[in-house]
Amino acid sequence: LSMLFRETPLFFLAVRAHFLTSLLSFTGMLSIRMWAEYGVGTPVFARSMILLMFSGMLYMTSLYNNTLVNFSNFSHLWSAYIRTLLGRVMNRNPTTGNKAGVLTVSAFVIAVYATFEILRVGVFYLRGALA
């Protein structure tokens, strides 16, 4: 893993960061779907299922944090990924290759916006589920 991180840092970080993020997003989407389906008729069941999914998400993150090799935790991995991506946007040299283009910057901005929207909607639904 150290060779991959040294030779191709952007691709290594992208795969590692997006893998767990996609698993957590999928689990979060399932939780929202369960609340939408079962929240009206059986709110206690829906609340317990959301809490079960949330505990699963926390356990996935815990396991992932325990197996990270070059980083202390998941947020440290994401910060290194963002630093590497922004460095790729700003610099061009033989080790990093071409500058990242407009599409990369646009994708990054949209991803940041989508992350904040997902968190906002998730907090809204969890507030309603736990009330």
Side-chain angles (χ1 to χ4, degrees):
L1 291 177
S2 296
M3 183 205 62
L4 285 173
F5 182 59
R6 184 182 66 244
E7 298 296 326
T8 57
L10 181 63
F11 304 120
F12 175 79
L13 291 169
V15 169
R16 299 281 295 192
H18 288 287
F19 174 72
L20 182 64
T21 304
S22 63
L23 287 177
L24 293 175
S25 297
F26 180 69
T27 308
M29 287 184 284
L30 288 176
S31 300
I32 292 172
R33 176 65 187 228
M34 278 192 280
W35 177 252
E37 291 291 325
Y38 300 113
V40 176
T42 55
V44 175
F45 174 72
R47 186 178 306 130
S48 64
M49 290 306 294
I50 286 176
L51 291 174
L52 183 64
M53 294 294 266
F54 185 66
S55 71
M57 291 168 70
L58 290 176
Y59 189 63
M60 280 193 293
T61 307
S62 169
L63 288 175
Y64 200 76
N65 282 342
N66 290 336
T67 60
L68 282 174
V69 175
N70 298 321
F71 307 98
S72 59
N73 57 33
F74 187 57
S75 60
H76 183 232
L77 172 71
W78 262 100
S79 66
Y81 173 51
I82 291 170
R83 279 194 314 271
T84 305
L85 185 63
L86 291 177
R88 179 81 177 259
V89 169
M90 304 297 179
N91 299 325
R92 181 180 189 273
N93 60 43
T95 58
T96 60
N98 294 332
K99 280 186 177 181
V102 175
L103 292 177
T104 302
V105 175
S106 301
F108 181 72
V109 169
I110 290 169
V112 168
Y113 175 73
T115 301
F116 286 117
E117 284 297 306
I118 287 169
L119 291 174
R120 185 182 64 81
V121 170
V123 166
F124 173 77
Y125 276 107
L126 278 177
R127 223 183 271 156
L130 300 176

